[in-house]
Amino acid sequence: MDSLTRIEPLLGCQMAGILKAAAAIEQVVPIVHGPMGCASGHRIIPLFAGREPLVATTALNEMNMIMGAEDRLRSAILQAGETYQPDLILVILSCATSLTGEIHNTITEPLSRQTGCPVFVLDGSGIVGDEIGGYRAFYDAFRDLEAGMGIDAEKANNLELTGLSAADFGCGEDVAVLQDTLQLAIGCSFDRILFHNITMPSSQRNYRTIHAGRLWLDSDHPCPAPFGAQGTLAWAEYISREINQPLTQEFHQQIDSLQEDIQQCCSALENLRVGIEAESWWGVGLARFLDEEFGFSVCLSSDHAAMQYQQQHGTVATTFTDTGNVELVHLFQSFKTDLVFGSSYLHHADWIWQPFWQPVWHVVDEQKSFMGIKGAYNMLELLKNLERQNSVTTQKHFK
């Protein structure tokens, strides 16, 4: 599908990505510099992360845009500092203020001194990029702040995982599985996960970075999310090479047992057709699991990085970059999908829906992670349940 014909993209503007990155950090006050609708429309993102939906705004109108709004922004920053006593004030430009040409960064240094905390000014407009670009913009600003404190992200004293967000669906469960997998495979754990329930840096701790999530292609040898036996083994081997630590014998034994269990499972569902809606690290990892280890037909809607990865490492699914909502429903219908992993936009009578990606507004049972060895067994349980339902739902869901 040509990108010019899409009316409902998978990803939002850079503002969404900035807020997803910042949502996990304690004591951050975001201020959207623009019309009030830009702020109110994004309050759901802190809620995804279990935070108060605080997204302040300068609430600009037409006259502010004509006459200039720097004084209004300065006043908002000072008021936020006085009211909330934050560790960071995050100014996010909207499309309107991004186009005015005002040089907002000139006010950050004096306002940082006045408020007693760092002030970031980042462009959140959809004109300059999408959610992934916004996430990276915040990540780069965060890294620059740490560099000024003498923190080096390439030192191996402590291990960190980068590229996640507490606003991702099921992030807490996924993080727990990733930690357990690393402990089993190598006997260590992540000291910090960006960005998942952290505080602003206050000490000069150095980290060795493992790239994942929205930053997974930053690695010299990118590895998608650890889904399935092969995917979990590949992810553990990637970290093993990065930190020069061997994998444990127990981990290899559990991977071998999992592979045997996968081979014996769900023969009645061998023709299952699966749709996946997710950003690339998650989507490619899940698609490879279902395609390579079960032989399912997979249609993946993801970002450009998924296409880029497949061009270099081989096809994992039929990929339609940046397609979402109603257009994606129509795409999955034409694919004759049986099972869908995605957001609430894909809660549809034509298939069995598994919540996997934000936004999820339907009431769902407690989410179990599908990552790692434990997650693979959760997937086997899901598929076995579908297999038991097969005799009842054959005409509707299984061909």
Side-chain angles (χ1 to χ4, degrees):
M1 184 183 293
D2 191 316
S3 61
L4 295 177
T5 68
R6 296 189 188 121
I7 58 173
E8 294 199 84
L10 174 68
L11 300 177
C13 59
Q14 285 209 162
M15 186 178 299
I18 294 169
L19 289 169
K20 282 184 177 181
I25 304 177
E26 297 284 353
Q27 291 296 98
V28 173
V29 175
I31 302 174
V32 173
H33 188 35
M36 60 182 178
C38 293
S40 62
H42 286 86
R43 284 179 181 156
I44 194 172
I45 293 176
L47 284 175
F48 290 156
R51 303 280 184 181
E52 179 184 354
L54 172 60
V55 181
T57 178
T58 52
L60 302 186
N61 55 35
E62 296 92 331
M63 189 59 66
N64 300 136
M65 299 306 301
I66 295 169
M67 302 301 294
E70 185 175 301
D71 289 342
R72 196 176 182 92
L73 175 59
R74 182 181 288 104
S75 176
I77 292 172
L78 292 174
Q79 184 176 351
E82 180 181 351
T83 302
Y84 297 103
Q85 301 294 308
D87 292 332
L88 170 69
I89 294 175
L90 174 60
V91 176
I92 308 174
L93 304 184
S94 64
C95 291
T97 50
S98 175
L99 291 172
T100 61
E102 290 184 292
I103 305 175
H104 301 92
N105 283 313
T106 59
I107 68 174
T108 57
E109 186 174 343
L111 286 173
S112 293
R113 291 194 299 268
Q114 285 182 263
T115 58
C117 69
V119 178
F120 291 175
V121 178
L122 302 176
D123 195 333
S125 73
I127 297 170
V128 298
D130 60 20
E131 292 180 36
I132 296 174
Y135 185 99
R136 179 174 292 280
F138 183 89
Y139 175 81
D140 290 343
F142 186 86
R143 285 294 194 214
D144 288 343
L145 178 68
E146 290 192 320
M149 300 174 59
I151 298 175
D152 188 343
E154 296 306 318
K155 299 292 183 181
N157 301 23
N158 301 280
L159 196 63
E160 71 171 5
L161 187 69
T162 69
L164 306 184
S165 166
D168 296 329
F169 183 74
C171 185
E173 291 77 9
D174 287 343
V175 164
V177 169
L178 294 174
Q179 290 281 31
D180 290 345
T181 301
L182 187 61
Q183 186 66 46
L184 173 65
I186 303 177
C188 63
S189 60
F190 294 111
D191 299 284
R192 184 173 74 168
I193 296 179
L194 295 184
F195 291 99
H196 181 73
N197 295 340
I198 66 171
T199 58
M200 289 297 292
S202 58
S203 61
Q204 295 185 8
R205 298 185 67 191
N206 297 319
Y207 295 90
R208 175 70 179 181
T209 299
I210 300 298
H211 295 98
R214 293 163 186 85
L215 303 175
W216 71 299
L217 292 188
D218 285 8
S219 170
D220 293 334
H221 303 284
C223 183
F227 291 100
Q230 296 175 21
T232 301
L233 176 61
W235 186 75
E237 289 176 336
Y238 155 59
I239 299 178
S240 174
R241 291 191 301 269
E242 289 292 308
I243 65 175
N244 195 28
Q245 293 290 332
L247 298 179
T248 66
Q249 186 63 33
E250 182 183 0
F251 175 74
H252 281 295
Q253 291 172 350
Q254 291 199 25
I255 288 292
D256 291 342
S257 297
L258 174 60
Q259 288 178 320
E260 293 177 3
D261 291 337
I262 290 174
Q263 291 172 359
Q264 297 173 6
C265 177
C266 305
S267 59
L269 301 180
E270 59 184 359
N271 295 320
L272 197 73
R273 302 178 70 81
V274 182
I276 300 172
E277 173 197 31
E279 291 180 34
S280 54
W281 186 69
W282 296 265
V284 169
L286 181 58
R288 288 185 62 177
F289 176 29
L290 298 177
D291 173 62
E292 296 176 5
E293 300 189 54
F294 288 109
F296 298 159
S297 297
V298 179
C299 183
L300 169 65
S301 175
S302 191
D303 55 70
H304 181 73
M307 184 73 75
Q308 182 179 341
Y309 179 83
Q310 290 186 109
Q311 289 171 345
Q312 296 175 359
H313 301 279
T315 300
V316 301
T318 302
T319 302
F320 292 79
T321 303
D322 197 14
T323 304
N325 306 351
V326 173
E327 288 188 315
L328 184 55
V329 170
H330 293 162
L331 174 62
F332 284 170
Q333 285 174 328
S334 66
F335 188 70
K336 298 182 179 179
T337 307
D338 301 307
L339 173 65
V340 164
F341 296 84
S343 70
S344 276
Y345 289 116
L346 299 177
H347 190 284
H348 202 274
D350 284 359
W351 46 68
I352 296 170
W353 171 70
Q354 179 65 40
F356 187 71
W357 201 248
Q358 296 287 21
V360 172
W361 58 79
H362 291 86
V363 177
V364 298
D365 294 332
E366 182 179 355
Q367 176 66 17
K368 295 181 179 180
S369 175
F370 293 116
M371 289 187 186
I373 295 173
K374 182 179 179 180
Y377 281 107
N378 289 336
M379 181 67 75
L380 291 180
E381 181 181 356
L382 171 66
L383 295 175
K384 287 177 180 178
N385 288 337
L386 296 184
E387 188 176 24
R388 285 192 287 268
Q389 297 171 24
N390 195 2
S391 59
V392 177
T393 61
T394 298
Q395 298 301 317
K396 185 172 185 181
H397 291 293
F398 302 100
K399 288 77 178 173

